[in-house]
């Protein structure tokens, strides 16, 4: 009897903390207009969308109000790690293979006002990591670039470290063990927390002092939906290829997880902004979703 009462109380507790999620809209984006599209990135207000297309992962921009797609770059790799800076510009890295099979990477900035890209970081051998920031962006490599002297709060990952820059001061944290490293660090809309992926552990939420606030589970590619929720990818594989992939909604305190798409949908690479959630499928179909969350 005592065990039964404990289970009953546990079930009631789960029900009281559960959220009600309603999918208000599911839309296929750019159907019949674009070929396969991957790595979507919405800007903060959800009015514009970056995505990668073509065999070399070139970079394109979709503007919702005008329903126009703009080609930013056809250079190899441009669409893989492209990001929106806090200054409203687009920052991206291209790559080329030179003599002795060495890969060189170049940093670029695209200005929407002039519809032009400029090189902000000359070609160099070695990794170049984009760093999102509240007041701009940075590109970190053997030689680095910053768009402003004070980036506000900026974040990226290097190996098994989260690298933060807070008002000009660098902070490095390794809050959880991960021999295979960290990926996909992003700053919450309120600028007070960081979400990132730790290989072997999953999605971690920490504050700007490196304190772990929550471990959300073994999901990938976390992206902030708002200050309270994160969207992420949950994929499985057999060691050679994906066997399932879906989009999840996660509460940042770890108390709630909800399937926005089914595992068999093979949906992946989520991004969020302005109340929109955009993701792609394994064969490159872009989709958009709007949801409503009630306590």
């Amino acid at each position: 009897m005592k065990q039964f009462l404990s289970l009953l109380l546990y079930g009631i507790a789960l029900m009281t903390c559960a959220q009600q999620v309603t999918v208000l809209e599911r839309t296929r984006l750019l159907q019949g207009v674009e070929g396969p599209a991957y790595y979507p990135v919405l800007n903060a207000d959800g009015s514009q969308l970056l995505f990668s297309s073509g065999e070399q992962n070139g970079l394109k921009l979709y503007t919702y109000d005008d329903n126009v797609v703009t080609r930013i770059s056809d250079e190899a790799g441009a669409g893989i790690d492209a990001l929106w800076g806090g200054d409203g510009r687009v920052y991206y890295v291209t790559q080329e293979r030179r003599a002795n099979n060495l890969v060189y990477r170049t940093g670029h900035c695209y200005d929407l006002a002039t519809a032009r890209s400029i090189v902000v970081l000359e070609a160099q051998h070695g990794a170049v990591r984009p760093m999102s920031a509240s007041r701009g962006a940075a590109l970190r490599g053997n030689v680095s670039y910053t768009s402003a002297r004070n980036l506000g709060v900026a974040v990226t990952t290097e190996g098994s470290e989260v690298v933060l820059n807070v008002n000009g001061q660098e902070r490095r944290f390794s809050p959880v063990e991960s021999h295979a490293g960290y990926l996909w660090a992003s700053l919450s809309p309120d600028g007070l927390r960081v979400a990132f992926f730790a290989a072997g552990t999953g999605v971690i939420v920490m504050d700007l002092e490196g304190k772990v606030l929550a471990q959300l589970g073994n999901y990938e590619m976390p992206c902030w939906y708002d200050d309270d929720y994160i969207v992420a990818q949950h994929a499985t594989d057999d060691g050679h290829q994906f066997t399932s992939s879906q989009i999840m909604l996660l509460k940042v305190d770890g108390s709630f997880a909800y399937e926005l798409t089914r595992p068999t949908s093979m949906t992946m690479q989520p991004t969020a902004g302005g109340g929109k959630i955009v993701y792609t499928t394994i064969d490159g179909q872009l989709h958009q979703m709007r949801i409503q969350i009630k306590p």
Side-chain angles (χ1 to χ4, degrees):
M1 176 63 72
K2 185 178 293 185
Q3 183 179 13
F4 172 77
L5 287 174
S6 297
L7 289 172
L8 180 62
L9 290 172
Y10 177 70
I12 292 172
L14 285 178
M15 290 176 63
T16 57
C17 73
Q19 316 293 293
Q20 180 181 346
V21 179
T22 304
V23 176
L24 303 176
E25 169 196 319
R26 295 181 192 267
T27 308
R28 172 84 182 273
L29 292 178
L30 303 177
Q31 185 173 7
V33 178
E34 290 292 327
Y38 298 95
Y39 304 108
V41 186
L42 281 164
N43 64 350
D45 65 10
S47 62
Q48 294 176 305
L49 176 72
L50 299 172
F51 63 94
S52 174
S53 67
E55 293 183 0
Q56 298 202 108
N57 291 309
L59 178 61
K60 291 185 177 181
L61 167 68
Y62 173 59
T63 302
Y64 281 81
D65 288 346
D66 299 332
N67 195 29
V68 169
V69 175
T70 302
R71 186 186 307 273
I72 293 179
S73 175
D74 285 328
E75 294 182 75
I80 295 177
D81 286 321
L83 60 81
W84 292 96
D87 54 9
R89 295 183 174 92
V90 176
Y91 295 86
Y92 62 98
V93 177
T94 59
Q95 62 184 40
E96 60 177 325
R97 196 173 299 276
R98 294 186 179 179
N100 299 321
N101 215 31
L102 296 178
V103 176
Y104 282 76
R105 294 174 176 86
T106 303
H108 307 258
C109 173
Y110 177 79
D111 187 343
L112 279 72
T114 62
R116 293 181 60 188
S117 286
I118 61 170
V119 172
V120 294
L121 189 63
E122 296 294 337
Q124 61 181 281
H125 176 54
V128 175
R129 292 170 292 275
M131 186 176 199
S132 60
S134 59
R135 297 180 186 171
L139 301 171
R140 297 173 62 94
N142 297 322
V143 179
S144 298
Y145 163 83
T146 58
S147 63
R149 181 172 297 178
N150 187 344
L151 293 173
V153 181
V155 64
T156 190
T157 60
E158 292 181 7
S160 293
E161 290 184 315
V162 175
V163 182
L164 276 166
N165 192 297
V166 182
N167 296 321
Q169 295 188 341
E170 184 171 285
R171 306 173 182 179
R172 290 176 173 265
F173 302 105
S174 297
V176 296
E177 185 175 337
S178 178
H179 297 298
Y182 299 165
L183 289 170
W184 303 308
S186 61
L187 190 66
S188 62
D190 62 13
L192 300 178
R193 291 157 296 166
V194 172
F196 66 96
F197 168 81
T201 301
V203 176
I204 307 296
V205 179
M206 74 175 200
D207 65 16
L208 301 188
E209 303 299 326
K211 178 184 177 182
V212 173
L213 303 176
Q215 298 188 25
L216 305 188
N218 195 20
Y219 307 107
E220 310 91 28
M221 304 190 77
C223 177
W224 293 87
Y225 174 75
D226 58 18
D227 285 325
D228 298 314
Y229 291 90
I230 283 171
V231 289
Q233 167 186 299
H234 182 215
T236 61
D237 64 79
D238 60 7
H240 302 284
Q241 61 185 6
F242 287 114
T243 55
S244 71
S245 189
Q246 66 184 134
I247 307 301
M248 301 291 299
L249 178 71
L250 312 172
K251 196 164 186 180
V252 295
D253 62 4
S255 65
F256 177 76
Y258 181 83
E259 296 182 345
L260 292 174
T261 62
R262 304 300 299 171
T264 54
S265 66
M266 302 303 285
T267 48
M268 54 189 61
Q269 300 173 357
T271 180
K276 299 172 182 173
I277 299 170
V278 173
Y279 51 91
T280 190
T281 63
I282 196 168
D283 54 354
Q285 297 180 12
L286 283 178
H287 294 263
Q288 178 178 293
M289 178 186 296
R290 291 182 184 269
I291 64 174
Q292 182 181 65
I293 306 170
K294 293 182 179 180

